[in-house]
Amino acid sequence: MIVIHSIKELREHLSRQRQDGLRIGFVPTMGNLHSGHIQLIHEAHKVSDTVVCSIFVNPMQFGPNEDLESYPRTLETDTEKLTAAGCHILFAPNACEMYPNGTGVQTQVDVPDLGDELCGASRPGHFTGVTTVVTKLFNIVQPDTALFGQKDFQQLAIIRKMAADLCMPIDIIGVPTVRADSGLALSSRNGYLSETERAAAPALYKTLVEIRQAIESGNKDFDTLCHQGKQTLSKAGFKPDYLNVRRQSDLKPAQTGDDSLVILAAAYMGSARLIDNIAFALNH
Ligand SMILES: Nc1ncnc2c1ncn2[C@@H]1O[C@H](COP(=O)(O)OP(=O)(O)OP(=O)(O)O)[C@@H](O)[C@H]1O
Ligand SMILES: CC(C)(CO)[C@@H](O)C(=O)[O-]
Ligand code: BAL
């Protein structure tokens, strides 16, 4: 695997690959890689010839009181994991390379509506930071395909809309969430959990499963189910941020007749803000 830090060098390298007719698959990450990220690399292999992964802890998507400084940076072990997974190119720019004039004057890409709710409501400006950096990365890499995890369901929906609205000629692929045996979704932020918190954290997924089962059994009182789910999370030691049943298509509140649903939650366990979701179809 080649490790590249500069945009110019990456462009030169990839333009040769494109001239050779190779299809480029791209996996953007913030590093501290786990099996969820590696699954994205494996899926990228299936649809492309050259697999590019980026590692960039993007300052533009962190709020002023969030964990930008403490976010785990583990480039050496990440490089080893990517090499073992057969990734061809790691692009690891620094903040000056991505934002030579700083983030304050950076042109922004904003996906209205979808980006304002759920995580967008709790983390103002977060998705503008995500869509801006993903646009820049797409323009740098110019991939045929880009792969994102379904764990970040809202992010995936926003990136799909951005790519469609801005006519980006890139296939966006969503990859199912990789979980620990306990059901806990793998996430870099699980590293913030103490042993006791880690033992309690699977309650997040368990609560989502219970709500799905209740809905599948015919309970359509989504508000009450979510209210009870938040109480369950609190009892398990979480501080819930949101827990909602939404339509998959536009992430608007689900109505009784909707059949493609997603239950989304964000909750704090100690200092870690964890997110998870379950998407499912109802047969009426
Ligand atoms: N458990 C997982 N299964 C599948 N994909 C995942 C998983 N966790 C993260 N991803 C995907 O990996 C990509 C990079 O995510 P990121 O580097 O932020 O990792 P993360 O573990 O989600 O970290 P964070 O704790 O910041 O949310 C995103 O597309 C994300 O959806
Ligand atoms: C897509 C992404 C790499 C953009 O910084 C980030 O939001 C993430 O890791 O999900
Ligand atoms: N995986 C989403 C990146 C973030 O929380 O900033």
Side-chain angles (χ1 to χ4, degrees):
M1 184 178 71
I2 313 171
V3 183
I4 297 179
H5 300 284
S6 94
I7 295 172
K8 184 168 176 284
E9 200 186 324
L10 181 69
R11 282 210 165 114
E12 283 166 3
H13 197 82
L14 287 174
S15 83
R16 285 196 291 275
Q17 309 248 321
R18 242 175 260 110
Q19 274 163 16
D20 290 345
L22 300 179
R23 291 166 305 162
I24 296 165
F26 179 43
V27 177
T29 80
M30 301 207 301
N32 194 231
L33 303 181
H34 49 64
S35 308
H37 299 113
I38 299 305
Q39 185 60 29
L40 299 184
I41 301 290
H42 291 321
E43 295 300 323
H45 274 291
K46 293 183 189 166
V47 292
S48 46
D49 306 301
T50 299
V51 177
V52 182
C53 176
S54 66
I55 294 182
F56 178 59
V57 183
N58 172 33
M60 223 184 136
Q61 68 189 70
F62 286 80
N65 299 317
E66 293 185 352
D67 56 342
L68 173 63
E69 297 309 324
S70 56
Y71 199 88
R73 286 148 170 99
T74 53
L75 192 59
E76 209 171 308
T77 49
D78 290 349
T79 306
E80 287 164 14
K81 287 178 188 173
L82 288 171
T83 304
C87 179
H88 300 102
I89 300 173
L90 166 59
F91 177 51
N94 63 22
C96 289
E97 186 71 3
M98 290 301 286
Y99 300 111
N101 303 309
T103 52
V105 291
Q106 167 68 47
T107 299
Q108 299 184 345
V109 178
D110 185 47
V111 175
D113 209 22
L114 262 184
D116 298 334
E117 293 198 43
L118 304 165
C119 281
S122 314
R123 305 182 65 187
H126 167 64
F127 285 119
T128 302
V130 170
T131 42
T132 300
V133 82
V134 170
T135 299
K136 286 171 73 94
L137 290 166
F138 280 0
N139 284 336
I140 294 164
V141 176
Q142 297 179 37
D144 298 282
T145 307
L147 299 95
F148 295 86
Q150 286 171 5
K151 192 204 75 176
D152 296 83
F153 193 93
Q154 186 179 13
Q155 170 173 281
L156 175 60
I158 287 170
I159 288 167
R160 282 192 199 285
K161 178 162 163 51
M162 174 186 85
D165 285 356
L166 298 181
C167 308
M168 294 173 166
I170 302 171
D171 231 358
I172 307 294
I173 295 186
V175 177
T177 304
V178 177
R179 299 179 180 282
D181 290 342
S182 63
L184 178 66
L186 299 188
S187 163
S188 305
R189 289 190 171 99
N190 293 346
Y192 297 150
L193 301 173
S194 68
E195 212 172 301
T196 322
E197 289 167 345
R198 173 95 194 192
L204 181 56
Y205 180 59
K206 195 162 165 273
T207 303
L208 298 182
V209 170
E210 283 165 4
I211 296 176
R212 182 191 64 199
Q213 286 168 343
I215 295 172
E216 284 174 340
S217 309
N219 188 339
K220 297 291 178 65
D221 186 354
F222 303 135
D223 287 346
T224 304
L225 285 172
C226 290
H227 180 71
Q228 288 166 347
K230 279 186 175 175
Q231 287 178 330
T232 308
L233 288 178
S234 298
K235 279 190 203 132
F238 275 104
K239 194 163 151 281
D241 177 355
Y242 65 77
L243 173 56
N244 291 108
V245 183
R246 297 287 169 107
R247 305 203 287 238
Q248 283 183 41
S249 55
D250 56 7
L251 293 183
K252 295 283 178 232
Q255 308 297 323
T256 323
D258 292 330
D259 50 14
S260 270
L261 303 177
V262 54
I263 312 165
L264 306 111
Y268 289 89
M269 177 58 83
S271 64
R273 184 176 182 279
L274 303 183
I275 59 171
D276 204 347
N277 68 82
I278 298 185
F280 62 108
L282 272 185
N283 299 316
H284 290 289

